[in-house]
Amino acid sequence: TLMTLCSSSSSSQKTWIVHGILVGMAIAAAIGARAYLGRSRKFRSRVVGIIPARYASSRFEGKPLVQILGKPMIQRTWERSKLASTLDHVVVATDDERIADCCRGFGADVIMTSESCRNGTERCNEALEKLEKEYDVVVNIQGDEPLIEPEIIDGVVKALQVSPDAVFSTAVTSLKPEDGLDPNRVKCVVDNRGYAIYFSRGLIPFNKSGGVNPEFPYMLHLGIQSFDSKFLNVYSELQPTPLQVEEDLEQLKVLENGYKMKVIKVDHEAHGVDTPEDVEKIESLMRFNSVGMCSESDALIKTYVSNELLDSVNLKEYRGSFKFYIVDVIKDQFIADQYSVRDLPTTIIFKDGENIASSIGPLSAKRLKSLVEQYL
């Protein structure tokens, strides 16, 4: 009986010990989960956008200061970037006083960096070290993208925030078949989980025919990219890699060193400025879409008409709702091609950013006024 009691007592004691261990583990797990969730809510939460800009360029010297419809291109990029909801701060990083003076003139914060920076990423890293506040994520915003969409900036930031195994994130969009063999259009391939496999100036994937397959969904890399701030410092210490040097693509150094890069696909017309010839195309598109010229609440009418005709119509009472932009059909053939406008003159009417009507043929003063009144 005594042995039974001892055995029973020992068994009970073991049960309580096991129970205690399990309860302790459950409590520890709960505390750990709570701590983890608390950290995840704050994971990479402090975000700075940095626009690296340099004056010297083999293809287009002084590019950041080129005028885009009356404003320096760097200002238009800065203004678009400021609209991104995920950015706590936006700064310009440059080694040139001309660019710095220009940026300070329109209200941007400027960080002066060394002339020895080999690329925009290294310039971002130096700027980050000079900032007074600490940040978890750095977004490298290309200064030659005056039409950058704030939603794309937010997209690459959020992609990095929800991908703890990635140190870098970027964006791609659909590649037009006619751009397939253009080395200035960088192509990208990704795996089934949305991580980058490779970037190239050549066509990837490449097929046996040696040409562009119009049925294949090729992807075009957009210049924007975001880094984990701790990795950005590591990146600058990494030596140049063979693929990076051969393709002249700095993001390849990330992949060659075994780091993961998250890629999001967006619906975006890539309109970067690589050469002086691109400026006219950008201006044409901005006139047509009135990017950076009107608020979202403006009703817009765009016309292929003369100044004389507009002057002949008394529209003072509508000035608060309608704005007029004169598009030169010859100079702005890019617009006609982009929107399949074949019958000219054509009046294309927008309201709240949506194409709502068009009128083909000569436009009289009476017709112009009636169109305005109809869609006001």
Side-chain angles (χ1 to χ4, degrees), residues 26-36:
I27 292 172
I31 293 172
R34 184 174 181 179
Y36 174 79

Side-chain angles (χ1 to χ4, degrees), residues 333-354:
Q333 189 60 44
F334 172 74
I335 288 177
D337 292 341
Q338 185 87 359
Y339 292 90
S340 301
V341 174
R342 294 290 176 262
D343 298 298
L344 301 173
T346 297
T347 301
I348 304 176
I349 303 173
F350 283 72
K351 187 173 182 181
D352 296 329
E354 293 187 12

